[in-house]
Amino acid sequence: MNIKKVLQKNLTKYKQMSPVAKASIALVFVKFLQKGISMISGPIFTRIMPMDEYGIVSTFASWQSVLYIVFTLNMSAGVFNNGMVDFKDDRDGFSYSIMGLAHFVTFCWTAIYFLFYQWLQPIVDMSLVLMIILFLYCFVTPAYNYWIGRERFVFRYKAPCTVMSLVTVFSTLLGIIIVLMLADDLKAEGKIIATEIPAIAVGAFFTVKLFLNNRHKKITKYWKYAFCFNAPLLVHYLSMYVLSSSDRIMITKLVGAGDTAIYNVAYTVASIILIFEQSIDASYAPWVYQKMEKEEYKSIDKRGQQILMLFGGATLLCALFAPEIMSVLAPKSYYSGVYVVPAVAASVFFTTLYSLFMRVELYCKKTTIITIATVMSALINIVLNYILIPKFGFVAAGYTTLISYVFLSVFHGFNLYRIGLGKIYNMRNIIFLSLAVLLVTLLINLVYDYTLIRYFFISVLVVVAVIKRKNIMSLLKKPQK
């Protein structure tokens, strides 16, 4: 085989892909790079840092995830795409204005923290230095995220992918170097400061750049629009965090930390698909907004059906290969976690499904109903976890997660009909595919002890993929204009 010819052929195919497909592939690559570096660096840091110091790092990461949403209103994940559509003639001005709003909210929370430091510090349980780093991160990184969002919206992916990759690599390398240099009692703060510096530096650059290019514009111009849109979504974002994290917390509380470790590894196996979902959604969302604006609903349905077929197959493959993947990631003592993988993998499929529905709702600015759905799903997950984990162990958490995401998908599907847009997607096909994925994924649990049968199903799935390869490759062709 001539490797040069193969590379040239693949490069030619890549050049012929649609901007959406190119962006999706590039983002998948970056997400895998980030995930891979995280998986590799995790064991390194646990070996070069004392356990209590590494615990401080984990605490910081948890607070950072939550407080970034509260401090910045998380506008890059919500109102930003709508602003790119509604204010297409003033996109720079819109980005500048919402950056100012994020700065104002961050400043207010910073002031509250220092005014009530005596009472708030014991709650967050982090040093003043780490809180300053967190406030600084929340102050400058919105501009960086708006730049990435703007580039994605017009399907320019090279620059953001390059910057994201460099930030990830430098953050990790700098963190390792600093931790190795410091005394044990300083390793946590050193690691956090070192790993946040690249993101803060890049964020500061884009903050200054956005300010200098738009300083003559009215900074409060779009504040009311952005706040009214995103404020209801804050509860949605926080509820999603609860939905994705509460199971591990409750397993630890109800049955023990050892079971949480097994569940966490199993969750990592299934979350591999989630990397694809997040990457494709990041490039698919702007495309949906543009199609909605032109009322090209058939294109949205066609592309949505293709994406669901792709993730349906990925879900089944992940579940079927779970024993092999688990054996690579963890020793035999973790094998019982394999029975969680099918449920969590199916959850990713339904995450994809509800995301397709939610993009339409976000375009129509139906933010309140989105929040209601997420809060209800999070509550369902917590209640079911509380009831079922003590009876059936950590495996139950995978199925409570699945039930929650199924509910989320059904709720959003009904809501599309409620707002008069239920016919955008062919719901009959979606229901059939969803039930098929749900049934087959759950039945896979029964064949884990029968390797030959499992490999037979894998072979069947591969043959179907080969037969339907044109349909699969259609995802990489130019969508209808």
Side-chain angles (χ1 to χ4, degrees):
M1 181 183 291
N2 192 318
I3 298 178
K4 186 177 179 180
K5 288 184 178 180
V6 172
L7 291 174
Q8 288 177 339
K9 183 179 179 181
N10 290 329
L11 183 61
T12 302
K13 287 183 177 180
Y14 181 77
K15 289 180 179 179
Q16 293 173 348
M17 293 177 186
S18 68
V20 180
K22 288 180 180 178
S24 297
I25 291 173
L27 290 169
V28 167
F29 173 79
V30 173
K31 286 287 185 180
F32 266 102
L33 174 67
Q34 292 175 324
K35 187 71 173 179
I37 290 176
S38 176
M39 292 178 69
I40 293 170
S41 63
I44 294 175
F45 282 117
T46 56
R47 284 167 172 78
I48 62 177
M49 296 179 66
M51 187 178 294
D52 56 342
E53 289 289 295
Y54 192 74
I56 295 173
V57 173
S58 300
T59 301
F60 178 87
S62 298
W63 276 114
Q64 186 180 44
S65 299
V66 174
L67 294 182
Y68 182 84
I69 294 172
V70 177
F71 288 0
T72 70
L73 304 181
N74 209 25
M75 289 181 284
S76 61
V79 72
F80 188 83
N81 284 329
N82 289 73
M84 293 296 100
V85 172
D86 292 342
F87 310 111
K88 62 178 68 176
D89 296 327
D90 190 26
R91 288 173 174 172
D92 280 347
F94 177 75
S95 299
Y96 172 65
S97 183
I98 63 172
M99 180 185 75
L101 178 57
H103 285 175
F104 175 74
V105 176
T106 301
F107 177 80
C108 289
W109 280 112
T110 304
I112 290 171
Y113 176 79
F114 283 108
L115 284 173
F116 300 98
Y117 177 80
Q118 184 178 352
W119 293 276
L120 293 178
Q121 197 280 330
I123 295 175
V124 295
D125 195 26
M126 286 194 297
S127 69
L128 182 59
V129 172
L130 294 184
M131 286 304 297
I132 291 173
I133 289 294
L134 182 54
F135 288 130
L136 189 59
Y137 176 89
C138 292
F139 192 81
V140 299
T141 52
Y144 170 44
N145 290 327
Y146 302 154
W147 173 74
I148 292 175
R150 175 76 179 274
E151 296 296 289
R152 285 174 176 171
F153 197 85
V154 293
F155 307 118
R156 291 194 295 259
Y157 54 90
K158 293 180 181 178
C161 286
T162 301
V163 174
M164 290 163 65
S165 300
L166 289 175
V167 168
T168 301
V169 171
F170 279 113
S171 294
T172 305
L173 291 177
L174 192 59
I176 293 172
I177 292 171
I178 294 298
V179 168
L180 289 173
M181 292 172 58
L182 294 176
D184 283 355
D185 60 335
L186 297 175
K187 288 185 183 296
E189 288 191 355
K191 193 266 183 189
I192 292 168
I193 294 171
T195 53
E196 298 302 329
I197 280 177
I200 290 173
V202 172
F205 169 80
F206 283 107
T207 298
V208 173
K209 183 175 183 290
L210 193 56
F211 171 78
L212 292 177
N213 291 342
N214 299 275
R215 62 187 182 277
H216 60 283
K217 297 180 179 179
K218 186 179 180 181
I219 197 168
T220 59
K221 184 176 182 179
Y222 301 109
W223 281 22
K224 182 179 178 181
Y225 170 89
F227 184 82
C228 291
F229 185 100
N230 244 60
L233 287 175
L234 291 182
V235 180
H236 159 72
Y237 297 131
L238 293 172
S239 297
M240 286 302 299
Y241 182 80
V242 171
L243 184 56
S244 62
S245 305
S246 62
D247 45 9
R248 275 157 281 197
I249 296 171
M250 294 187 73
I251 290 171
T252 300
K253 295 291 184 181
L254 297 173
V255 291
D259 285 351
T260 304
I262 298 174
Y263 179 84
N264 198 52
V265 173
Y267 198 95
T268 301
V269 173
S271 66
I272 293 171
I273 316 173
L274 193 60
I275 298 174
F276 284 100
E277 193 278 329
Q278 292 171 344
S279 303
I280 289 178
D281 183 66
S283 56
Y284 176 74
W287 181 82
V288 169
Y289 273 62
Q290 293 166 16
K291 294 299 179 182
M292 286 294 295
E293 187 180 21
K294 299 175 183 177
E295 297 185 357
E296 296 180 2
Y297 300 143
K298 288 185 178 179
S299 296
I300 295 174
D301 177 52
K302 181 180 179 181
R303 186 62 46 160
Q305 301 283 346
Q306 291 172 332
I307 288 174
L308 287 177
M309 287 291 293
L310 176 66
F311 281 100
T315 297
L316 299 182
L317 276 176
C318 181
L320 286 167
F321 277 112
E324 286 75 16
I325 302 174
M326 283 288 290
S327 66
V328 172
L329 294 179
K332 289 183 179 180
S333 56
Y334 284 73
Y335 183 81
S336 58
V338 76
Y339 296 100
V340 176
V341 175
V344 181
S347 299
V348 178
F349 172 83
F350 284 98
T351 298
T352 306
L353 176 56
Y354 100 79
S355 295
L356 295 181
F357 296 156
M358 192 177 71
R359 286 300 163 194
V360 177
E361 293 170 309
L362 283 173
Y363 175 83
C364 298
K365 302 179 176 67
K366 303 298 181 180
T367 54
T368 301
I369 199 71
I370 291 172
T371 298
I372 292 172
T374 312
V375 170
M376 292 177 66
S377 296
L379 290 174
I380 288 171
N381 185 252
I382 291 171
V383 171
L384 290 178
N385 278 339
Y386 184 77
I387 296 172
L388 298 178
I389 290 176
K391 293 182 178 180
F392 302 102
F394 70 90
V395 175
Y399 292 91
T400 60
T401 299
L402 174 57
I403 292 170
S404 300
Y405 280 108
V406 170
F407 168 81
L408 203 55
S409 300
V410 172
F411 190 103
H412 284 293
F414 276 120
N415 190 51
L416 284 189
Y417 279 101
R418 194 185 67 83
I419 63 177
L421 294 172
K423 293 184 178 180
I424 287 182
Y425 293 105
N426 187 327
M427 290 297 183
R428 181 175 295 181
N429 288 350
I430 288 176
I431 292 171
F432 176 79
L433 177 61
S434 300
L435 290 175
V437 170
L438 190 62
L439 179 63
V440 175
T441 304
L442 297 180
L443 288 175
I444 288 173
N445 269 316
L446 303 177
V447 302
Y448 281 142
D449 294 330
Y450 306 96
T451 305
L452 290 178
I453 296 176
R454 185 162 56 85
Y455 279 119
F456 169 76
F457 284 123
I458 291 173
S459 302
V460 170
L461 194 61
V462 170
V463 170
V464 171
V466 172
I467 295 173
K468 297 290 184 179
R469 63 188 181 279
K470 291 183 179 179
N471 301 81
I472 298 172
M473 291 303 295
S474 66
L475 271 173
L476 304 180
K477 296 178 181 178
K478 272 196 173 183
Q480 297 176 1
K481 294 184 178 179

